[in-house]
């Protein structure tokens, strides 16, 4: 019998899709690997025919004396740059190459940053004769939209071409990178663009496994000197790896996987890469304690060995330890790879029981001072609501996985831990006056992460979930949802969890609004962004400043943890929830959307849904794989479901259980419309209503010290 993994590979990467791909006009991935700039962004000094090297240009481009050209690829890309010299005049000619994801960081003396101070150095190449010149593999740039060519002598160089060999998705055929297995479309054009930009962001974060770890000069401390950079560590035992960011860190971080891993399954179904990457997360589990790493170690660290891992080995994260466990859960849910789950079941148990050793007499986990590393927020520790909510959620996933592997011996114990966390968190951490949980018992801060996770995990009951949703919505500013636990940060990572919380709380209109104006109007359309991928974070003022970093230029503009809308729109708006390899939930929550269509294919099979409403009626149809069963929740709908073979299943209070996989269509009673938790009853419509709109940013950028990065750098110094 063919394995599920073999089936997934055949369905995804190596062969062109047999059928037309729905809504392929939105796909941003290239149709071939060799890419040419689409336009000239700017030229400085004496440059003849600067547009000659663009896709529509012709003739040689000549750089005379001290001069430079910045080319625009139109979207964020990544890969190896090559250029062809047609002629040289004079001696000691050099061509330099610089990169930037954002137009904000185009500079005459460097590229945007991968370290934590200053800019990355320009790559200089001596040019003495005509010929072809290429960047070496260690210097393939994972993320850039803008490519700058510099010339620094009194002579001149004539160039006949400049190209980039696109290296993301390295295991895919050169013409298969647009062969999506998932799709999304609705009546809101911004949300359509957001979904596909999220999918493309995850693609850029799928890199050659031998091009990992860009954090090679974290001890640099002089911002006036460009830092050296490269990435040549091996990350997995295969050809590819899913990493946090295309430019940096180019590492396998488990926290990011809680957003990006499901997103990959729902868009390209790259199960091959996901299995390799999750396997690496568990490869370095502490054999004595069960502790899992803050980030996966490299198989081969490259040369010289990266300083980052010297310090990282001394860092423990209570939350990221559990994100490792959730990565295995999410991989199994979408792949159905029961063999891989069984192979790692002991490790999962070992890791979960290690987390439970921190639970004290209150019923809550107490996060010790040596376990507070997180997503670069501050104040993690003590009886923290985020940590405890993630623990509660992990316990629910563990009990479900236990049934899958046939080992439920710990379920009663795990249920008791879960119940105690729910009770204690609501008793000790709930702030009725704010309608939010406090971060812990020592502060009045109400975190975005902990409150979002409290809703997702069920720590907050339905009443409090709705209260939290409204309170979080009330805090939005002109650029998005704030994360006060990280100072003045807006975190697309944590906001991805907030999206889920709004849906779960039965207020999908808030999720739609946040995706439209934060991800669409600002993160996608602001001229400082790549207009194609999503960055990892910024300041509440709209500045391209991530408060956790000392150097604003190092912000990643293609970060998988920022792709939460992909999951939110497919799972929640369209209503397609995969529970495991044989079970699903269909519960559309379109909010104020009047048309939604989504689908995806994994090793389990094909899922799809189409929703429309208007003139007081609702139409909905869905598809689930044969041999599976699920529950359908259509709140506010009365009527029946009709299968393609004519079978009728009645809806009882909008619910049908034990529905067999297949093709089903709603037969709604007259005047029946989707409402309640699936409600199309929101007040937000088309950018108006109660949600703020982005305003042009005019301020300066602030500087703050790094937190975890500084800790790791200090550890490096202590060890070296």
């Amino acid at each position: 019998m063919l394995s599920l993994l073999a089936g997934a590979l055949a369905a995804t990467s190596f062969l062109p899709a047999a059928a037309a791909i729905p809504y392929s006009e939105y796909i941003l991935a290239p149709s071939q690997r060799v890419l040419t700039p689409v336009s000239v962004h700017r030229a400085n000094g004496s440059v003849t025919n600067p547009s000659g090297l663009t896709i529509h240009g012709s003739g040689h481009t000549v750089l005379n004396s001290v001069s430079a050209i910045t080319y625009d690829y139109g979207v964020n890309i990544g890969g190896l740059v090559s250029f062809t010299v047609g002629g040289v005049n004079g001696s000691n000619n050099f061509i330099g190459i610089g990169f930037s994801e954002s137009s904000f960081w185009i500079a005459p003396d460097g590229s945007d940053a991968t370290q934590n101070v200053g800019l990355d150095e320009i790559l200089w190449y001596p040019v003495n004769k005509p010929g072809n010149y290429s960047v070496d593999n260690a210097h393939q740039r994972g993320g850039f939209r803008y490519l700058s060519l510099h010339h620094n002598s009194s002579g001149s160089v004539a160039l006949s071409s400049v190209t980039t060999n696109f290296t993301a998705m390295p295991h895919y055929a050169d013409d298969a990178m647009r062969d999506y297995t998932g799709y999304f479309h609705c009546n809101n054009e911004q949300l359509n663009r957001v979904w596909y930009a999220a999918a493309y962001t995850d693609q850029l974060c799928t890199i050659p496994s031998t091009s990992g770890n860009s954090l090679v000069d974290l001890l640099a401390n002089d911002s006036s000197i460009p830092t050296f950079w490269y990435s040549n560590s091996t990350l997995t035992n295969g050809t590819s790896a899913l990493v946090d960011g295309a430019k940096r860190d180019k590492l396998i971080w488990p926290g990011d996987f809680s957003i990006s891993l499901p997103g990959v399954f729902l868009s390209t179904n790259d199960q091959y890469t996901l299995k390799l990457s999750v396997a690496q997360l568990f490869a370095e589990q502490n054999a004595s304690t069960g502790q899992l790493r803050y980030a996966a170690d490299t198989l081969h660290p490259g040369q010289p060995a990266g300083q980052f891992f010297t310090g990282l080995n001394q860092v423990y994260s209570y939350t990221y330890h559990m994100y490792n466990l959730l990565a295995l859960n999410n991989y199994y849910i979408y792949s159905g790879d029961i063999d891989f789950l069984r192979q790692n079941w002991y490790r999962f148990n070992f890791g979960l029981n290690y987390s439970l050793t921190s639970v004290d007499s209150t019923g809550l986990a107490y996060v010790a001072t040596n376990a507070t590393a997180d997503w670069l927020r501050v104040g993690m520790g003590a009886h923290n609501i985020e940590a405890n909510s993630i623990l509660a959620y992990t316990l629910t996933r563990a009990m479900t996985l236990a049934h899958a592997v046939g080992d439920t011996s710990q379920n009663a114990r795990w249920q008791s831990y879960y119940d105690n966390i729910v009770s204690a968190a609501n008793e000790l951490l709930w702030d009725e006056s704010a309608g939010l949980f406090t971060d812990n018992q020592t502060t009045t801060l109400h975190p975005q992460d902990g409150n979002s996770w409290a809703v997702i995990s069920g720590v907050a009951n339905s009443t409090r979930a709705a209260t939290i949703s409204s309170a979080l919505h009330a805090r939005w500013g002109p650029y998005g949802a704030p994360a006060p636990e990280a100072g003045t940060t807006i975190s697309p990572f944590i906001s991805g969890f907030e999206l889920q919380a709004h849906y779960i709380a039965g207020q999908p209109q808030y999720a739609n609004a946040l995706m439209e104006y934060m991800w669409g109007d600002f993160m996608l359309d602001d001229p400082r962004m790549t207009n194609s991928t999503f960055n990892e974070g910024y300041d509440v003022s709209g500045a391209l400043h991530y408060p956790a970093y000392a150097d604003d230029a190092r912000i990643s503009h293609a970060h998988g943890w920022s792709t939460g809308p992909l999951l939110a729109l497919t799972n929640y708006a369209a209503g397609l929830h995969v529970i495991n390899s044989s079970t699903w939930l269909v519960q559309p929550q379109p909010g104020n959307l009047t048309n939604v269509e989504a689908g995806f294919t994994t090793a389990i099979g094909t899922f799809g849904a189409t929703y429309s409403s208007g003139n007081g009626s609702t139409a909905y149809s869905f598809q689930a794989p044969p041999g599976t069963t699920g529950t359908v929740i259509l709140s506010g709908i009365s009527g029946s479901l009709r299968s393609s073979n004519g079978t009728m299943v009645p809806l009882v209070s909008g619910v049908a259980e034990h529905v067999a996989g297949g093709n089903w269509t709603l037969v709604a009673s007259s005047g029946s419309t989707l409402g309640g938790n699936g409600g199309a009853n929101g007040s937000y419509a088309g950018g108006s209503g109660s949600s703020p709109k982005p305003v042009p940013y005019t301020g300066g950028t602030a500087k703050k010290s790094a937190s975890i990065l500084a800790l790791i750098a200090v550890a490096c110094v202590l060890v070296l």
Side-chain angles (χ1 to χ4, degrees):
M1 182 177 66
L2 290 175
S3 69
L4 286 170
L5 177 58
L9 295 181
T12 57
S13 57
F14 301 107
L15 296 175
I21 299 170
Y23 304 109
S24 61
E25 64 269 25
Y26 292 97
I27 295 174
L28 296 168
S31 58
Q32 61 181 18
R33 291 203 179 270
V34 179
L35 307 179
T36 302
V38 299
S39 64
V40 176
H41 180 72
R42 70 173 62 151
N44 297 303
S46 177
V47 179
T48 304
N49 188 29
S51 63
L53 301 183
T54 64
I55 194 168
H56 299 297
S58 61
H60 285 177
T61 296
V62 181
L63 290 91
N64 304 287
S65 189
V66 178
S67 56
I69 318 169
T70 298
Y71 289 104
D72 183 356
Y73 278 85
V75 296
N76 208 1
I77 64 168
L80 289 164
V81 174
S82 299
F83 59 91
T84 302
V85 175
V88 178
N89 180 33
S91 59
N92 297 319
N93 285 284
F94 283 79
I95 291 293
I97 299 176
F99 307 89
S100 186
E101 291 187 285
S102 167
S103 61
F104 201 64
W105 294 110
I106 297 171
D109 53 353
S111 301
D112 57 5
T114 55
Q115 310 311 305
N116 201 35
V117 60
L119 298 173
D120 284 1
E121 64 184 357
I122 292 174
L123 303 178
W124 288 102
Y125 296 87
V127 176
N128 300 315
K129 61 182 179 179
N132 298 317
Y133 299 78
S134 295
V135 169
D136 63 290
N137 281 327
H139 287 96
Q140 61 175 282
R141 195 73 168 188
F144 65 94
R145 174 175 170 173
Y146 301 96
L147 174 69
S148 296
L149 300 178
H150 304 265
H151 180 254
N152 71 342
S153 75
S154 59
S156 63
V157 174
L159 301 176
S160 59
S161 73
V162 61
T163 59
T164 296
N165 184 50
F166 188 83
T167 53
M169 311 290 286
H171 52 306
Y172 273 50
D174 290 356
D175 61 351
M177 294 175 289
R178 294 173 56 85
D179 291 349
Y180 280 24
T181 53
Y183 61 91
F184 176 83
H185 190 266
C186 70
N187 61 293
N188 185 310
E189 192 66 8
Q190 280 292 68
L191 297 188
N192 297 332
R193 295 175 59 238
V194 164
W195 192 96
Y196 284 91
Y200 182 55
T201 300
D202 286 334
Q203 285 186 282
L204 273 190
C205 293
T206 304
I207 69 169
S209 64
T210 54
S211 299
N213 187 25
S214 64
L215 303 180
V216 295
D217 195 16
L218 282 179
L219 297 182
N221 56 18
D222 188 343
S223 61
S224 66
I225 301 174
T227 58
F228 65 84
W229 63 274
Y230 59 86
S231 50
N232 66 348
S233 296
T234 301
L235 299 178
T236 70
N237 275 311
T239 58
S240 57
L242 179 63
V243 297
D244 57 333
K247 179 184 73 169
R248 53 133 286 270
D249 303 325
K250 302 177 82 170
L251 293 171
I252 300 172
W253 287 93
D256 304 56
F257 275 22
S258 58
I259 296 289
S260 61
L261 186 150
V264 170
F265 272 120
L266 295 171
S267 56
T268 60
N269 190 31
D270 184 7
Q271 184 175 331
Y272 170 80
T273 297
L274 298 177
K275 184 172 186 176
L276 288 169
S277 302
V278 173
Q280 193 59 26
L281 289 176
F282 282 83
E284 297 294 328
Q285 186 175 31
N286 187 300
S288 299
T289 65
Q291 178 183 321
L292 291 159
R293 293 174 59 89
Y294 191 24
D297 205 346
T298 57
L299 293 170
H300 303 290
Q303 294 296 328
Q307 304 155 341
F308 179 74
F309 283 101
T310 307
L312 186 70
N313 290 337
Q314 302 180 34
V315 177
Y316 172 49
S317 168
Y318 189 83
T319 53
Y320 272 51
H321 168 84
M322 291 183 291
Y323 279 130
N324 283 277
L325 305 177
L326 293 177
L328 177 60
N329 170 77
N330 288 333
Y331 172 79
Y332 169 69
I333 284 175
Y334 287 101
S335 70
D337 190 348
I338 189 65
D339 291 338
F340 187 72
L341 176 60
R342 286 179 174 140
Q343 291 166 12
N344 289 282
W345 181 239
Y346 170 78
R347 298 182 180 92
F348 184 97
N349 273 271
F350 198 15
L352 179 55
N353 287 326
Y354 182 68
S355 296
L356 294 175
T357 61
S358 297
V359 176
D360 63 21
S361 60
T362 66
L364 295 174
Y366 187 92
V367 181
T369 55
N370 68 339
T372 58
D374 201 356
W375 57 272
L376 300 184
R377 57 157 290 167
V378 296
M380 167 56 67
H383 293 131
N384 181 270
I385 185 61
E386 181 207 9
N388 277 279
S389 295
I390 295 175
L391 176 57
Y393 182 78
T394 306
L395 286 164
T396 66
R397 299 307 90 201
M399 289 183 278
T400 300
L401 294 178
H403 285 284
V405 299
D407 176 17
T408 58
S409 59
Q410 296 290 316
N411 277 23
R413 175 172 170 262
W414 289 340
Q415 183 66 55
S416 178
Y417 273 109
Y418 176 84
D419 293 340
N420 290 338
I421 291 170
V422 172
S423 176
N426 280 277
E427 177 184 352
L428 300 176
L429 301 177
W430 178 251
D431 182 350
E432 186 66 34
S433 63
L436 294 164
F437 286 97
T438 57
D439 206 33
N440 56 58
Q441 293 160 285
T442 69
T443 181
T444 58
L445 184 140
H446 304 98
Q448 181 191 24
D449 57 10
N451 279 283
S452 298
W453 269 108
V455 175
I456 293 169
S457 65
V459 166
N461 62 27
S462 59
T463 299
R464 286 187 172 176
T467 300
I468 289 170
S469 172
S470 296
L472 291 175
H473 166 256
R475 302 198 309 191
W476 294 354
Y479 300 98
E485 64 272 30
T488 59
T489 295
I490 289 180
S491 170
F493 175 46
I494 302 305
S495 293
F497 299 124
E498 181 176 328
L499 294 177
Q500 297 177 49
H502 290 308
Y503 282 115
I504 293 168
Q507 302 194 110
Q509 70 277 8
Y510 291 161
N512 293 346
L514 189 59
M515 286 183 283
E516 182 174 358
Y517 94 92
M518 176 176 161
W519 270 271
D521 296 345
F522 183 61
M523 292 178 64
L524 191 55
D525 286 345
D526 186 274
R528 296 165 298 159
M529 305 296 187
T530 69
N531 312 128
S532 54
T533 55
F534 294 123
N535 83 343
E536 67 180 311
Y538 51 94
D539 193 82
V540 294
S541 67
L544 292 187
H545 165 66
Y546 193 39
Y549 296 158
D551 184 6
D552 294 343
R554 81 184 305 266
I555 293 173
S556 165
H557 283 259
H559 228 66
W561 79 0
S562 300
T563 60
L566 197 165
L567 179 158
L569 289 166
T570 299
N571 286 173
Y572 291 96
L576 297 172
H577 300 267
V578 181
I579 306 302
N580 54 44
S581 60
S582 61
T583 312
W584 40 265
L585 167 67
V586 165
Q587 185 183 10
Q589 296 177 268
N592 57 339
L593 300 175
T594 57
N595 292 277
V596 178
E597 185 177 355
F600 57 92
T601 298
T602 71
I604 299 169
T606 297
F607 296 82
T610 302
Y611 162 86
S612 64
S613 66
N615 299 318
S617 64
T618 296
Y620 188 71
S621 61
F622 68 92
Q623 174 186 3
T628 64
T629 59
T631 299
V632 179
I633 301 176
L634 300 172
S635 300
I637 295 289
S638 58
S640 302
L641 300 174
R642 182 178 59 215
S643 75
S644 57
N645 64 10
T647 301
M648 300 294 289
V649 175
L651 293 168
V652 179
S653 299
V655 178
E657 298 181 313
H658 309 297
V659 179
N663 294 287
W664 294 87
T665 300
L666 169 67
V667 181
S669 301
S670 178
S672 185
T673 59
L674 198 62
N677 285 344
N681 58 351
S683 60
Y684 181 78
S688 61
S690 60
S691 299
K693 296 290 290 184
V695 296
Y697 173 73
T698 58
T701 56
K703 299 283 184 180
K704 286 190 178 181
S705 297
S707 50
I708 298 300
L709 289 172
L711 184 154
I712 293 171
V714 168
C716 292
V717 173
L718 293 176
V719 174
L720 293 176

